[in-house]
Amino acid sequence: MNKVNFCSWRGQSGGLALGLTLALAVIALIAASAWYLTRPKPVTVSVSQASVGRVENTVANTRAGSVMACRRAKLAPPAGGRIEKLNVSEGDRVRPGQVLLTLWSDDVNARERMSRQQLQTAKARLREVCELAKASARDAKRADELRERSFISQEAVERARTDAAAKQAACESAGAQVAEAEARIQASRADIDRTVLRAPFAGIVAEVNGEVGEYLTPSPPGIPTLPAVDLIDDSCLYVSAPIDEVDAAQLRVGMTGRITLDAYRGQHFPGRVRRIAPYVLAVEKQARTVEVEVEFDQPGEAKHLLVGYSADIEIVLNGHDDVVRVPTPALMPGNRVLVLGAGGVLEERKIQMGLSNWEFTEAKSGLNKGDRVVTSLEREGVKAGARATTEGPATGKKEAAPAQAQ
């Protein structure tokens, strides 16, 4: 092969190698692009950092409770009658003993006046007959002295003694009539009191049923009627709510708790168990429950609190401070969680649980502070080994209040 042909062949070989290299590079690029375009996309997850804080074991009511007053009286006069004066309106504050309403009572007032006149007559009669009794007693004494001197007969002495005894009996009878007249006055006063309705304690008038001129009828036995005045002592309030009988067995009077109100969303008020009912309520088609009362530690914090507000209670059974905790919704069956690793891959971990409630669960082992735990387990593709990205900054929940439970 001459020199010219060799150079030509060598040039052709170099061109083929370069073309092959370029072709392979193009094929590799196409394959890489196809893999990149067809690879599984990362799932978007919500995460929460494992944080250090308090976890409590609590029990809560099964149905909504109510704000109650320590004292509440549905008042009505013991006697029926027509309303003559109505001294209060709904929303008025009253003091103990204040007159709320009075019924027409001209008849009983007249009887009282008559009883007073009878008392005056009886007292005058008492003075009269008792003076006569004293005079007869003196006459009998003089008759005894005269008999000793034989100036009068024994028969005259006996008549004087008998007259003195009769006059003394008349005096005692007049005294009994005075007592009887005083008793009639007391009875008349009692009848008048039955027409006057007074406040048994200080409070606020919640309801008034009746107007001036209307007739009030006392409730017959076993037949409740509307009260004339509903009086509430709002200086002492508590919450009464049903607790499942299983949970109630763990409760004791004096345990700490929390109260939440629909009217004060986002707030909770400290309280303490004041009473646990000594019996179980068995309401048809409902779980058996025990009524539990929790009083406010600082009732002034819930200003303008109204009796009848719906409320929920939580009673703390146990609590651990400064422990690693994760949101309870992040737990999977078998005490497992998904953790978003530094490489963006989800990995499964098993934890040892401690105390738990509906918001937080204590992780005794298996997690460290700052680990990013997945909370959006219901999303498609969220499983161990999947690549994932977060919706936003993975920040732990800062504890603004102790964890709550149901």
Side-chain angles (χ1 to χ4, degrees):
M1 182 180 296
N2 56 31
K3 186 175 180 180
V4 175
N5 291 336
F6 176 77
C7 291
S8 175
W9 174 81
R10 188 174 181 183
Q12 292 176 357
S13 298
L16 290 174
L18 180 61
L20 182 60
T21 301
L22 292 174
L24 291 175
V26 170
I27 293 172
L29 181 61
I30 293 173
S33 299
W35 173 82
Y36 182 81
L37 294 175
T38 59
R39 68 173 182 169
K41 294 183 178 179
V43 294
T44 303
V45 296
S46 296
V47 297
S48 178
Q49 288 185 355
S51 59
V52 174
R54 179 175 174 82
V55 179
E56 296 175 341
N57 183 18
T58 63
V59 297
N61 49 295
T62 57
R63 299 187 307 276
S66 298
V67 176
M68 310 287 286
C70 296
R71 289 191 297 180
R72 181 174 186 173
K74 298 181 182 296
L75 307 173
R82 177 170 54 84
I83 299 177
E84 187 175 61
K85 293 182 181 179
L86 189 58
N87 301 331
V88 294
S89 302
E90 295 181 359
D92 289 351
R93 290 202 170 272
V94 299
R95 61 185 183 276
Q98 180 175 334
V99 176
L100 306 179
L101 64 84
T102 56
L103 303 178
W104 179 83
S105 58
D106 289 354
D107 53 345
V108 291
N109 286 327
R111 284 196 294 270
E112 189 205 12
R113 289 193 297 272
M114 183 173 62
S115 298
R116 290 184 180 277
Q117 293 299 326
Q118 291 173 345
L119 176 61
Q120 296 301 322
T121 302
K123 286 182 176 180
R125 175 63 178 168
L126 175 64
R127 288 194 298 270
E128 177 186 359
V129 297
C130 288
E131 288 299 327
L132 292 174
K134 292 178 182 178
S136 296
R138 288 194 296 269
D139 291 343
K141 184 177 182 181
R142 282 194 296 270
D144 286 337
E145 293 175 352
L146 293 173
R147 174 58 185 161
E148 291 177 356
R149 298 177 185 179
S150 300
F151 289 159
I152 60 174
S153 65
Q154 181 64 34
E155 181 181 359
V157 173
E158 290 177 356
R159 282 198 303 269
R161 291 177 179 175
T162 301
D163 184 66
K167 296 293 177 63
Q168 181 60 36
C171 177
E172 294 174 358
S173 176
Q177 290 176 354
V178 170
E180 181 181 354
E182 290 176 342
R184 281 196 296 269
I185 292 176
Q186 292 177 357
S188 297
R189 289 176 178 173
D191 289 338
I192 293 175
D193 287 341
R194 288 165 61 87
T195 65
V196 179
L197 183 61
R198 300 179 184 273
F201 50 81
I204 186 169
V205 177
E207 186 179 6
V208 176
N209 295 300
E211 297 291 343
V212 173
E214 292 184 348
Y215 195 89
L216 285 180
T217 303
S219 297
I223 304 177
T225 59
L226 289 175
V229 177
D230 186 2
L231 183 62
I232 295 174
D233 178 8
D234 57 351
S235 64
C236 174
L237 300 174
Y238 65 93
V239 173
S240 178
I243 299 289
D244 190 275
E245 61 177 343
V246 176
D247 296 328
Q250 308 174 69
L251 303 182
R252 299 291 182 272
V253 173
M255 282 184 168
T256 59
R258 287 184 295 273
I259 300 171
T260 56
L261 304 166
D262 291 343
Y264 293 80
R265 294 187 179 276
Q267 293 181 265
H268 66 271
F269 304 93
R272 193 168 299 276
V273 177
R274 71 189 292 267
R275 176 180 176 270
I276 302 172
Y279 56 89
V280 176
L281 291 173
V283 182
E284 186 178 358
K285 296 182 180 180
Q286 294 183 7
R288 294 175 182 263
T289 57
V290 176
E291 203 70 16
V292 176
E293 298 175 0
V294 176
E295 61 185 353
F296 291 84
D297 282 349
Q298 299 174 343
E301 290 184 353
K303 296 181 179 179
H304 310 297
L305 192 62
L306 301 180
V307 173
Y309 269 157
S310 61
D312 295 310
I313 60 175
E314 295 174 89
I315 302 168
V316 180
L317 302 178
N318 195 6
H320 291 168
D321 292 310
D322 299 326
V323 296
V324 177
R325 64 183 189 179
V326 295
T328 299
L331 287 178
M332 299 187 299
N335 301 338
R336 296 172 297 118
V337 296
L338 286 178
V339 177
L340 181 60
V345 178
L346 299 179
E347 53 186 66
E348 185 178 292
R349 293 189 193 175
K350 185 176 178 63
I351 66 171
Q352 181 183 359
M353 289 178 53
L355 295 182
S356 180
N357 55 57
W358 68 271
E359 186 176 5
F360 288 110
T361 295
E362 177 187 0
K364 291 185 174 181
S365 63
L367 285 176
N368 297 315
K369 177 183 176 182
D371 286 346
R372 297 181 295 173
V373 180
V374 177
T375 56
S376 54
L377 300 174
E378 74 287 352
R379 296 182 184 178
E380 184 178 357
V382 177
K383 59 183 178 180
R387 295 185 304 110
T389 58
T390 60
E391 290 180 332
T395 58
K397 293 184 177 180
K398 182 179 179 181
E399 182 184 18
Q404 302 175 354
Q406 290 182 344

